[in-house]
Amino acid sequence: MLIAYNNLQQLFHAYQYTRKALQTYRRQMTFFCPQCLEPVHLKIGSYNIPHFAHHTQSQCPKLFAEGESKLHLQGKIQLFEWLQKLGHQVKLEPYLTELSQRPDLLVALETNNVALEFQCSPLTHHKWQERTTGYEKNNIQAIWLFLTPQRYEAINGIRKISISPLLQKSFMTTSTGLPYLMTYNAKTAHFEYWTNLLHVHGHTFIGKVQKIPIDKQRFPFYLPTCISLEEFQQYWQLYKHACQQFANRRLLHSKQGVQDTFLRSCYELNFSIPAMPTYIGIPVKDGTAISLFASEWQTMLLHFSQQLGLEPYELKIHHIQDFLMQSHLEYTGQAVKAVQQYSLILNKIEQDQKRQDICEIVYAQLFAIAAIY
């Protein structure tokens, strides 16, 4: 931890002093944990950031984990001082008695309090949910700011990226409801925005990665805005390439043959696997609610509609429910919306086929996909 009470009952920020001064204070003062009020060690060292640690026998670590990395301590200090420079009322590592929780930072805004958690170590979904729920029950907004994964530190621009399930839980949304992710790189003192997140399959997304130095960021954080059609065309090419790769792999490696619902649907619709129609494999809002690859469920939907003698945009809610259940897909409101979005795009393509490129139609449907600045 970065702070402790001294024997004068004052909060003492160890990182604000030189190591020489801290050696003097360590001889002259006794320090206590702000949470359990038990004595703690002032650890100075020559490599790690000066900080406090409990004695071995203390029970307090059951409530407040120790062994923080240098990057975690460094990042908390950077964020704390940045918020102070912006003029915000911010507390470093405050212990919230009513929650038995200790956020990295607590920011007091005019309308609400914000707990800012800079997460550098692995965290279970249960623990994340438990801590988030604790804040929400006490009218505190929780913002999880994860450490930028090392493999993404050097990347920039539009590309295909893998986002872990936990990071997906920390997605933020624009005013139009579209997701984006923001991480923090304590080594370079940069916020990294992963915007324009277009779900491909599983944990794979196409996104635009951009960096903002901490001295250019504001709080509340900058919100992403819309990308251009020219940028979306790069997305379109990456997405369609991924769809074609999926279809080719399915043809080569499926062991079910005609029992494979996707391949059977392709055969019944007279689709050529090496050259799937351009209207198959289209990204839609809420598409993450359907676990199958877009090319797969959209082909199956067209086959299902053909069997009913209907166009996809003529399907009613009960038809969509039957489709999802027959396809062994979870029936949710979000999944229904995804099917409806695709049906609307198909209808638009049919109406505007001679006047408008499919990419432009899809872009119009996803107009608010996020980009920063």
Side-chain angles (χ1 to χ4, degrees), residues 48-330:
N48 285 326
I49 293 169
H51 62 284
F52 298 96
H54 286 85
H55 295 280
T56 307
Q57 302 301 320
S58 173
Q59 297 300 306
C60 187
K62 291 182 178 179
L63 297 178
F64 181 50
E66 294 194 345
E68 297 173 273
S69 68
K70 181 181 179 180
L71 274 178
H72 190 199
L73 295 171
Q74 183 175 308
K76 285 197 290 187
I77 292 170
Q78 291 169 354
L79 294 167
F80 176 64
E81 293 185 340
W82 161 67
L83 287 164
Q84 283 189 319
K85 287 178 182 177
L86 292 178
H88 291 290
Q89 295 182 29
V90 55
K91 295 180 181 179
L92 178 64
E93 300 178 344
Y95 179 58
L96 307 179
T97 308
E98 65 277 14
L99 303 182
S100 296
Q101 290 182 215
R102 192 172 192 172
D104 290 329
L105 300 163
L106 186 68
V107 191
L109 301 179
E110 289 185 4
T111 56
N112 65 315
N113 289 335
V114 177
L116 187 59
E117 294 279 14
F118 179 46
Q119 190 66 31
C120 296
S121 57
L123 183 71
T124 64
H125 172 72
H126 173 75
K127 193 67 177 176
W128 172 86
Q129 186 67 62
E130 183 181 55
R131 289 166 66 180
T132 301
T133 301
Y135 291 131
E136 291 175 348
K137 284 183 177 179
N138 286 267
N139 300 315
I140 298 173
Q141 179 188 357
I143 296 180
W144 290 87
L145 193 62
F146 282 82
L147 177 70
T148 302
Q150 187 173 357
R151 67 184 183 277
Y152 291 126
E153 288 179 354
I155 70 170
N156 223 350
I158 295 171
R159 59 187 298 127
K160 191 160 66 173
I161 52 180
S162 178
I163 303 178
S164 69
L166 182 59
L167 284 179
Q168 290 180 43
K169 292 293 182 184
S170 64
F171 279 171
M172 304 177 193
T173 55
T174 62
S175 58
T176 54
L178 288 165
Y180 68 95
L181 177 66
M182 184 174 61
T183 62
Y184 184 68
N185 188 336
K187 287 190 287 187
T188 63
H190 278 72
F191 291 91
E192 306 208 7
Y193 278 78
W194 305 14
T195 65
N196 320 300
L197 293 176
L198 184 61
H199 184 245
V200 178
H201 185 248
H203 307 317
T204 302
F205 293 76
I206 297 170
K208 183 175 181 179
V209 183
Q210 298 168 280
K211 309 177 193 306
I212 300 181
I214 194 169
D215 60 351
K216 301 294 183 184
Q217 178 65 284
R218 71 176 187 183
F219 189 84
F221 297 113
Y222 281 114
L223 293 176
T225 55
C226 179
I227 60 170
S228 67
L229 175 58
E230 290 71 23
E231 288 176 310
F232 184 74
Q233 287 170 342
Q234 296 180 56
Y235 274 64
W236 185 247
Q237 293 302 318
L238 287 170
Y239 194 89
K240 296 307 289 184
H241 178 67
C243 288
Q244 193 58 59
Q245 283 183 319
F246 160 79
N248 291 339
R249 285 196 303 268
R250 194 61 166 270
L251 179 62
L252 291 173
H253 302 298
S254 176
K255 297 179 181 180
Q256 294 180 298
V258 293
Q259 301 304 317
D260 186 310
T261 308
F262 167 66
L263 296 180
R264 183 68 184 179
S265 297
C266 288
Y267 175 77
E268 296 287 347
L269 294 168
N270 200 28
F271 286 171
S272 170
I273 296 290
M276 293 289 283
T278 54
Y279 53 84
I280 292 294
I282 286 181
V284 295
K285 289 181 181 179
D286 300 301
T288 54
I290 299 180
S291 58
L292 301 180
F293 206 98
S295 294
E296 185 172 11
W297 71 261
Q298 290 172 11
T299 299
M300 291 160 55
L301 178 69
L302 288 179
H303 183 230
F304 175 83
S305 301
Q306 185 188 72
Q307 290 179 313
L308 294 179
L310 299 172
E311 296 295 335
Y313 50 83
E314 295 175 327
L315 297 176
K316 306 297 183 185
I317 295 293
H318 70 274
H319 293 134
I320 296 175
Q321 181 178 8
D322 289 344
F323 164 70
L324 293 170
M325 293 179 65
Q326 288 181 25
S327 304
H328 305 290
L329 297 170
E330 186 178 2

